[in-house]
C-alpha cells in the first residue's frame, strides 16, 4: 500500500516533461545544451551530438553480464555508427578509480558505468555520479517504475542513478524431488522441511553471496515487528550505525535462534554458485538462490531442467544494478544514447527472456516471454507481489553479527 501511494505521488510530480537544467547538473564536458533536452526533443538534440563525439566508453562490473552488454553494443553500433569501447571491471576497484579521478579533477576514463546498485551512497557522496535526471529525459524511460525513478534502495537519486537490471533472491528447488505439497510458503515451512529432510537444504553463507545475505535480511523482516522493524528498515542509517545496532540489539534474538535451528539441519554453502552446484549434483534438493543466476546456469546446463523457484509469503529481497554517467565523462551525448537503448522495451524484453533479468519498465513482464522460459522463472503468482526492497548496508551488518553470534 505504501508503495502504491508513493508511486502515485511521484507520478504527480513527474507527469510533466521537464528539461535537465544546467544549473542542476555537475557535468563538466558538455558538447550540447543539456538544459534544453526533454523526452520529446531528445533524439533531435542528442543524436547529432553523439555522432560528433563518435565514441563512448562503457564499464561493466558484473562478469555474468558481459554477453548481455555485447549484444546491446552490437545493436547500438549498427543503429548509430558510434564505436563503443567496452571493459569488464571489478566493481570495488573501478569505484575507487573513479573517486580518485574525480578528486583530481581529471576526465573520467568511462562514460557509461554499469555499477552495483548498492554503490550509490559512496559514489554520489564523492561527486562521481553525474547529476542528469536520466529517468525524466530519456525517451525509453517513459514507462519506468515511478518509485525507482527517484530512489534506489530507499536513497533519493533524482533520476541520476537508474536501475537497468532487477534481480530477485528466491528459494530454488528440484521439482523432481520436492513435491508440490512440500513447497514451502513461509520461513516456518522452510525450517520444518529442513528438519524433516536433514542436509537437503542449502543456505548460502551471507558473507559469501547475496542470496544468503538477502535471505537473512528477509528473515529479519519476517520476524521483527514494531520499533525493532522500524530500526531494521531505516535506510537513513549509515553502515556503522547498522553494524552497531545489529551487534547489540536484542531485537534480533529471534533471528539468531532461527539460524541456530536451521543450520543444525541445513548446509551452509560457500556462495551463490556453490548452492547451485550442490543442487546440480543432487547433494541438495533446495537452496537460497538468485533468479537470474539460475537462468544463467540453465543456459550452460549447470543445474537440472527440473529446477523451479518460489518466494516465501512475507517476501524476499529484490535488488538491482544501475547505469549512470560520471560527472566528468567526456562523451555525454553518446552515453545518454547508449543508456536510452539499454532501457528500450525491445532490449529489456530480450534481457528478461535470455537472462531472467527483470526490468524496471512497467510494461515488461514475464508473461511476454515464451512458456518454456517462464517455467524456470518465478511464477507471476509470487513475483513481483512478494519482492521486497533490499537494504544492503543492514544486510551486511546482520551478516557480520550472525558470524559473531551464531557461526563462531
Amino acid at each position: 500500500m505504501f508503495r502504491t501511494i508513493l508511486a502515485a505521488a511521484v507520478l504527480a510530480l513527474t507527469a510533466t516533461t521537464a528539461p535537465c537544467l544546467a544549473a542542476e547538473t555537475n557535468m563538466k564536458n558538455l558538447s550540447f545544451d543539456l538544459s534544453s533536452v526533454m523526452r520529446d526533443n531528445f533524439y533531435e538534440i542528442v543524436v547529432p551530438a553523439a555522432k560528433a563525439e563518435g565514441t563512448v566508453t562503457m564499464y561493466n562490473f558484473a562478469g555474468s553480464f558481459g554477453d548481455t552488454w555485447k549484444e546491446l553494443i552490437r545493436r547500438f553500433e549498427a543503429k548509430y555508427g558510434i564505436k563503443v569501447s567496452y571493459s569488464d571491471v571489478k566493481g570495488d576497484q573501478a569505484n575507487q578509480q573513479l573517486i580518485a579521478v574525480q578528486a583530481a579533477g581529471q576526465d573520467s576514463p568511462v562514460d557509461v558505468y554499469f555499477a552495483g546498485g548498492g554503490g550509490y551512497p559512496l559514489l554520489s557522496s564523492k561527486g562521481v555520479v553525474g547529476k542528469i535526471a536520466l529517468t525524466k529525459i530519456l525517451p525509453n524511460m517513459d514507462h519506468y517504475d515511478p518509485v525507482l525513478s527517484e530512489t534506489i534502495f530507499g536513497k533519493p537519486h533524482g533520476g541520476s542513478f537508474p536501475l537497468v537490471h532487477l534481480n530477485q533472491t528466491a528459494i530454488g528447488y528440484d521439482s523432481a524431488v520436492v513435491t508440490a505439497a512440500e513447497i514451502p510458503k513461509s520461513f516456518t515451512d522452510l525450517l520444518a522441511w529442513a528438519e524433516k529432510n536433514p542436509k537437503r537444504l542449502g543456505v548460502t553463507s551471507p558473507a559469501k553471496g547475496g542470496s544468503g545475505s538477502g535471505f537473512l535480511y528477509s528473515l529479519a523482516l519476517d520476524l521483527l515487528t514494531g520499533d525493532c522493524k522500524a530500526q531494521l528498515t531505516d535506510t537513513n542509517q549509515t553502515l556503522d550505525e547498522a553494524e552497531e545496532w545489529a551487534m547489540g540489539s536484542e531485537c534480533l534474538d529471534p533471528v539468531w535462534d532461527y539460524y541456530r535451528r536451521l543450520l543444525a539441519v541445513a548446509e551452509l554453502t560457500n556462495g551463490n554458485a556453490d548452492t547451485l552446484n550442490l543442487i546440480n549434483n543432487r547433494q541438495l534438493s533446495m537452496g537460497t538462490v538468485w533468479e537470474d543466476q539460475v537462468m544463467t546456469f540453465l543456459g550452460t546446463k549447470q543445474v537440472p531442467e527440473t529446477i523451479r523457484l518460489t518466494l516465501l509469503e512475507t517476501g524476499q529481497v529484490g535488488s538491482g544494478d544501475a547505469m549512470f554517467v560520471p560527472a566528468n565523462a567526456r562523451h555525454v551525448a553518446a552515453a545518454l544514447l547508449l543508456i536510452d537503448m539499454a532501457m528500450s522495451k525491445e532490449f529489456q524484453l530480450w534481457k528478461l527472456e535470455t537472462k531472467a533479468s527483470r526490468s524496471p519498465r512497467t510494461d515488461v513482464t514475464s508473461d511476454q516471454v515464451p512458456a518454456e522460459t517462464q517455467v524456470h522463472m518465478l511464477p507471476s503468482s509470487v513475483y513481483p507481489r512478494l519482492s521486497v526492497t533490499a537494504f544492503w548496508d543492514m544486510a551486511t551488518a546482520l551478516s557480520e553479527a550472525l558470524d559473531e553470534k551464531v557461526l563462531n
Side-chain angles (χ1 to χ4, degrees):
M1 177 62 72
F2 173 75
R3 186 180 177 87
T4 302
I5 294 171
L6 181 56
V10 172
L11 276 173
L13 288 171
T14 61
T16 57
T17 304
C20 185
L21 300 177
E24 297 173 350
T25 190
N26 58 349
M27 303 307 297
K28 299 175 182 177
N29 299 308
L30 289 173
S31 62
F32 61 101
D33 182 8
L34 181 61
S35 69
S36 66
V37 176
M38 299 181 289
R39 282 200 224 281
D40 56 6
N41 67 6
F42 177 87
Y43 298 119
E44 177 185 346
I45 296 174
V46 173
V47 172
K51 289 188 174 184
E53 291 171 352
T55 187
V56 62
T57 301
M58 178 181 175
Y59 278 3
N60 166 42
F61 91 105
S64 63
F65 258 71
D67 57 343
T68 302
W69 301 131
K70 287 172 184 176
E71 172 61 19
L72 173 68
I73 290 167
R74 184 192 67 78
R75 298 184 187 196
F76 181 80
E77 291 182 338
K79 182 172 182 177
Y80 294 112
I82 298 170
K83 178 66 177 176
V84 180
S85 176
Y86 170 89
S87 297
D88 290 318
V89 297
K90 293 184 178 179
D92 289 343
Q93 292 179 7
N95 290 350
Q96 292 305 317
Q97 178 195 31
L98 295 185
I99 290 169
V101 166
Q102 177 70 25
Q106 300 171 351
D107 287 343
S108 172
V110 62
D111 304 305
V112 175
Y113 184 14
F114 178 60
Y120 177 72
L122 172 64
L123 294 172
S124 61
S125 70
K126 300 298 183 180
V128 171
V129 179
K131 293 180 181 178
I132 306 176
L134 300 171
T135 59
K136 299 178 178 65
I137 65 171
L138 299 191
N140 280 317
M141 289 191 175
D142 60 343
H143 285 79
Y144 199 86
D145 180 291
V147 174
L148 298 178
S149 176
E150 296 287 337
T151 63
I152 181 166
F153 309 143
K155 304 286 188 182
H157 63 75
S160 65
F161 201 84
L163 298 174
V164 297
H165 154 68
L166 304 182
N167 53 359
Q168 179 62 46
T169 62
I171 301 298
Y173 62 94
D174 187 346
S175 63
V177 178
V178 180
T179 68
E182 292 178 306
I183 300 170
K185 291 182 172 58
S186 66
F187 286 95
T188 300
D189 290 350
L190 184 68
L191 179 57
W193 186 91
E195 290 177 334
K196 186 178 179 180
N197 300 274
K199 302 303 177 182
R200 301 300 296 172
L201 172 68
V203 180
T204 307
S205 168
K208 297 179 179 180
S211 66
S213 55
F215 177 82
L216 173 57
Y217 183 68
S218 302
L219 172 66
L221 287 173
D222 177 67
L223 294 178
L224 272 58
T225 59
D227 291 342
C228 290
K229 191 166 187 175
Q231 185 73 25
L232 177 75
T233 57
D234 181 6
T235 57
N236 290 317
Q237 295 173 88
T238 65
L239 176 59
D240 287 344
E241 290 168 339
E243 288 172 331
E244 182 179 358
W245 179 76
M247 197 64 72
S249 177
E250 294 181 357
C251 289
L252 294 166
D253 288 349
V255 176
W256 314 141
D257 290 342
Y258 182 99
Y259 258 86
R260 291 186 185 98
R261 286 183 62 186
L262 183 66
L263 296 181
V265 292
E267 290 286 347
L268 187 68
T269 74
N270 289 319
N272 303 318
D274 188 39
T275 303
L276 291 175
N277 289 335
L278 291 170
I279 292 175
N280 189 49
N281 296 334
R282 310 286 180 172
Q283 293 175 258
L284 298 176
S285 302
M286 191 180 297
T288 56
V289 301
W290 284 105
E291 180 188 33
D292 59 332
Q293 190 175 36
V294 168
M295 186 67 76
T296 298
F297 274 49
L298 274 165
T300 52
K301 301 187 184 303
Q302 294 183 80
V303 288
E305 287 287 331
T306 49
I307 194 167
R308 299 292 185 269
L309 304 176
T310 192
L311 295 177
L312 303 177
E313 272 298 331
T314 51
Q316 289 185 253
V317 162
S319 190
D321 303 305
M323 270 187 177
F324 74 96
V325 184
N328 47 3
R330 292 181 298 155
H331 308 106
V332 178
L336 296 182
L337 208 56
L338 184 60
I339 297 174
D340 181 66
M341 180 176 278
M343 278 309 305
S344 68
K345 184 175 182 179
E346 294 76 15
F347 186 75
Q348 288 284 312
L349 190 57
W350 176 84
K351 185 166 62 68
L352 175 63
E353 181 177 343
T354 57
K355 301 281 290 186
S357 168
R358 299 286 180 166
S359 178
R361 287 187 66 109
T362 57
D363 58 350
V364 173
T365 57
S366 59
D367 60 7
Q368 296 168 281
V369 305
E372 59 269 24
T373 301
Q374 289 185 43
V375 73
H376 292 123
M377 300 172 67
L378 284 162
S380 57
S381 60
V382 298
Y383 185 91
R385 180 175 64 88
L386 297 178
S387 177
V388 297
T389 302
F391 178 15
W392 288 118
D393 280 352
M394 181 58 74
T396 297
L398 295 177
S399 175
E400 294 168 354
L402 177 75
D403 189 62
E404 176 74 21
K405 294 176 177 295
V406 178
L407 302 184
N408 292 329

